[in-house]
Amino acid sequence: MIYSGIYLHKTNMVITTIDSNGELVAQRKLGCRKSQVVAYFHEFGQPHKAVVESTGSWYWLSDVLAGMGIELIRPCLTAQGDQLREVMRSRLRLVVRRTAARVQVHSLAEKAGWIIFVY
């Protein structure tokens, strides 16, 4: 059994494939075209499972992989995916707050005539 993780964007995707021992088999950046996806997955002649991380527009990919007999799992459809999504949303809120605080500090320092070096 081999496993692929797919990071799907609007115009391209990055696919990383590993074997059952966790060893890297292949990694490639592809355009969002059915022909490229089919060609990539036809390289492997053994049972395959895939997971996709995407905010939307993943349905076409699911249809392509299902037609090839590859099970596609969406992490956000699992209980662990729900927990992960909540952690990521919390992290995003914290990053936004941290950035706002830094901007305020730099603004106050500039008004006071101070120079702040950012490393």
Side-chain angles (χ1 to χ4, degrees), residues 26-118:
Q27 185 172 36
R28 208 163 294 137
K29 183 175 182 178
L30 307 173
C32 288
R33 294 185 187 90
K34 179 181 176 178
S35 60
Q36 291 182 354
V37 173
V38 169
Y40 180 85
F41 284 99
H42 270 301
E43 292 178 20
F44 313 105
Q46 50 186 306
H48 206 123
K49 288 188 179 183
V51 63
V52 63
E53 181 58 37
S54 171
T55 56
S57 70
W58 59 274
Y59 301 103
W60 71 271
L61 182 60
S62 176
D63 293 341
V64 170
L65 295 179
M68 299 175 67
I70 298 171
E71 181 183 359
L72 181 65
I73 302 165
R74 290 222 37 239
C76 65
L77 298 179
T78 66
Q80 289 178 339
D82 290 341
Q83 292 171 346
L84 178 61
R85 186 171 52 240
E86 182 58 34
V87 168
M88 295 306 293
R89 286 180 178 161
S90 296
R91 182 182 182 281
L92 176 62
R93 286 190 294 270
L94 292 171
V95 168
V96 168
R97 288 178 186 165
R98 180 187 66 188
T99 302
R102 285 182 175 179
V103 167
Q104 288 175 343
V105 167
H106 283 266
S107 176
L108 291 172
E110 186 179 332
K111 288 178 184 176
W114 298 347
I115 298 174
I116 295 180
F117 294 99
V118 179

